[in-house]
Amino acid sequence: MTHGDGFPYRAPWWLPGGNPQTLWAALVARRHFGPAPRWRRSRWSTPDGDFVDVDESLHASDSQAPLLVLFHGLEGSSASQYAVAFADFAAAHGLAYAVPHFRGCSGELNHAPRAYHSGDFAEIDWILRRFATENPDRPLLAVGVSLGGNALMRWAGEMGQEAQQRVRAIASVCSPLDLAAGGCAIGRGFNRLVYTRMFMRSMVPKALQKLEQHPGLFDREALLAARDLYEFDNLFTAPLHGFRDTADYWARASAKPVLQRIRVPALALNARNDPFVPAASLPGPQDTSASVVLWQPPQGGHVGFPVSQGPFGLPGHVRAMPEAVGNWLLAHL
């Protein structure tokens, strides 16, 4: 079913439009009501001889309380505003909480001649299997934000019935489930000037470090000349992860084509004014199985959903989205 009333979000009057809602939430709005999360980091060795860093929140939880696992977005981490806000939700509700970092996103370059990508469902599967093995008494819930949500939904579609052996329910938040539509949107106009530059400022230096680690991996001069994510993915992300080019990567890594194969309770939340994810590209009921619920409120931006607070509403907070998504997940235990 498709509706916005599962999360009847209303943007503050002083934040009209997707870009202000996105930027205010990321840069200014309050992230937590309780104390800031404190983390314990573990390093997991991957089957291919690399590593993944996992941050677990140190707040108290019962030994049999559910574990909420969050998969972050492009160039995100446990410090991202949404990761902190979900940590606050988990602490308030007595849940255990963990943020596994995609390779290269924990502050230290990974070892292998690969990084991470939007359709990395094999990595999601390995991570969730390990969480399940290490926490046999805890029911598992998973949420993925933006890129992490596409990868999580892709995993659920690929796994079908088997996903129920790992998790009780999953959610994606502001995920570009049609990667080509999202990739085109972020490469145009204001998005290109602001968001593309922000991502490239982080991704290009890491790619160059990767080239120092593994000489000959890609063409250095061509990468330095890349001006958008399409060109970056063509030179780096696609070939390093087994795709022919950007078009092949965006087509084969998108979760939208496999939403009909999902058999575990799954929520897809997308604001219809998300600057990265065109409303026309969002899935409708005809694109999903009966296990998938679609929340598509008209406002919210990209992982924004800021809410007014106090007499003047400034700076507001971003806890409403984790509350709505988290409570939906808890309802499926």
Side-chain angles (χ1 to χ4, degrees):
M1 52 186 164
T2 313
H3 50 67
D5 54 3
F7 177 33
Y9 174 74
R10 291 185 64 183
W13 63 266
W14 44 270
L15 277 178
N19 285 309
Q21 290 158 23
T22 301
L23 294 167
W24 188 271
L27 301 174
V28 184
R30 183 177 178 182
R31 302 167 178 207
H32 51 90
F33 297 149
R38 293 180 305 119
W39 306 100
R40 177 177 61 242
R41 176 160 292 186
S42 307
R43 178 157 289 186
W44 292 1
S45 296
T46 62
D48 61 347
D50 207 347
F51 68 88
V52 162
D53 285 332
V54 178
D55 283 357
E56 294 173 80
S57 179
L58 288 171
H59 67 256
S61 65
D62 183 82
S63 63
Q64 295 184 321
L67 167 61
L68 175 61
V69 178
L70 179 135
F71 293 98
H72 62 75
L74 183 65
E75 295 300 278
S77 71
S78 60
S80 298
Q81 97 267 10
Y82 52 81
V84 172
F86 269 103
D88 196 48
F89 169 84
H93 291 264
L95 313 177
Y97 178 68
V99 181
H101 291 85
F102 290 119
R103 302 189 196 201
C105 290
S106 65
E108 190 172 330
L109 201 65
N110 63 308
H111 302 321
R114 59 152 292 174
Y116 66 104
H117 65 89
S118 299
D120 211 349
F121 64 86
E123 192 92 317
I124 298 275
D125 187 53
W126 176 76
I127 289 169
L128 289 175
R129 280 173 189 263
R130 176 142 177 185
F131 275 123
T133 302
E134 293 189 355
N135 300 273
D137 297 329
R138 295 188 186 275
L140 239 61
L141 301 167
V143 59
V145 176
S146 197
L147 174 148
N150 182 79
L152 180 62
M153 290 295 215
R154 184 70 214 244
W155 168 82
E158 294 289 341
M159 298 296 284
Q161 289 292 149
E162 204 182 324
Q164 297 175 13
Q165 298 170 22
R166 305 265 180 280
V167 294
R168 299 291 183 87
I170 64 170
S172 66
V173 177
C174 297
S175 296
L177 302 169
D178 176 339
L179 290 169
C184 290
I186 204 169
R188 289 197 297 258
F190 180 87
N191 289 350
R192 185 183 180 94
L193 289 173
V194 177
Y195 307 116
T196 294
R197 281 185 181 176
M198 176 189 74
F199 286 131
M200 295 290 277
R201 212 166 28 237
S202 166
M203 292 158 67
V204 170
K206 286 204 285 193
L208 295 175
Q209 284 181 279
K210 186 62 62 186
L211 187 62
E212 286 177 26
Q213 259 184 342
H214 302 278
L217 201 58
F218 57 82
D219 182 335
R220 185 177 190 274
E221 297 311 313
L223 189 93
L224 287 170
R227 289 291 169 265
D228 57 26
L229 295 184
Y230 184 95
E231 293 173 7
F232 182 90
D233 284 347
N234 225 24
L235 290 158
F236 183 82
T237 315
L240 258 64
H241 301 103
F243 301 100
R244 188 175 61 250
D245 53 23
T246 299
D248 183 47
Y249 163 42
W250 287 355
R252 286 170 51 204
S254 291
K256 190 176 178 180
V258 301
L259 295 179
Q260 289 181 333
R261 288 156 42 190
I262 292 178
R263 296 294 180 268
V264 68
L267 168 67
L269 166 61
N270 290 91
R272 298 189 70 83
N273 70 343
D274 187 327
F276 297 3
V277 183
S281 74
L282 294 178
Q286 73 280 3
D287 299 310
T288 70
S289 73
S291 299
V292 180
V293 171
L294 303 173
W295 286 357
Q296 296 175 357
Q299 302 282 308
H302 186 73
V303 203
F305 307 105
V307 176
S308 290
Q309 187 178 32
F312 301 105
L314 300 171
H317 65 82
V318 292
R319 270 286 269 104
M321 180 273 287
E323 196 75 30
V325 172
N327 282 324
W328 186 90
L329 289 169
L330 290 176
H332 289 85
L333 287 174

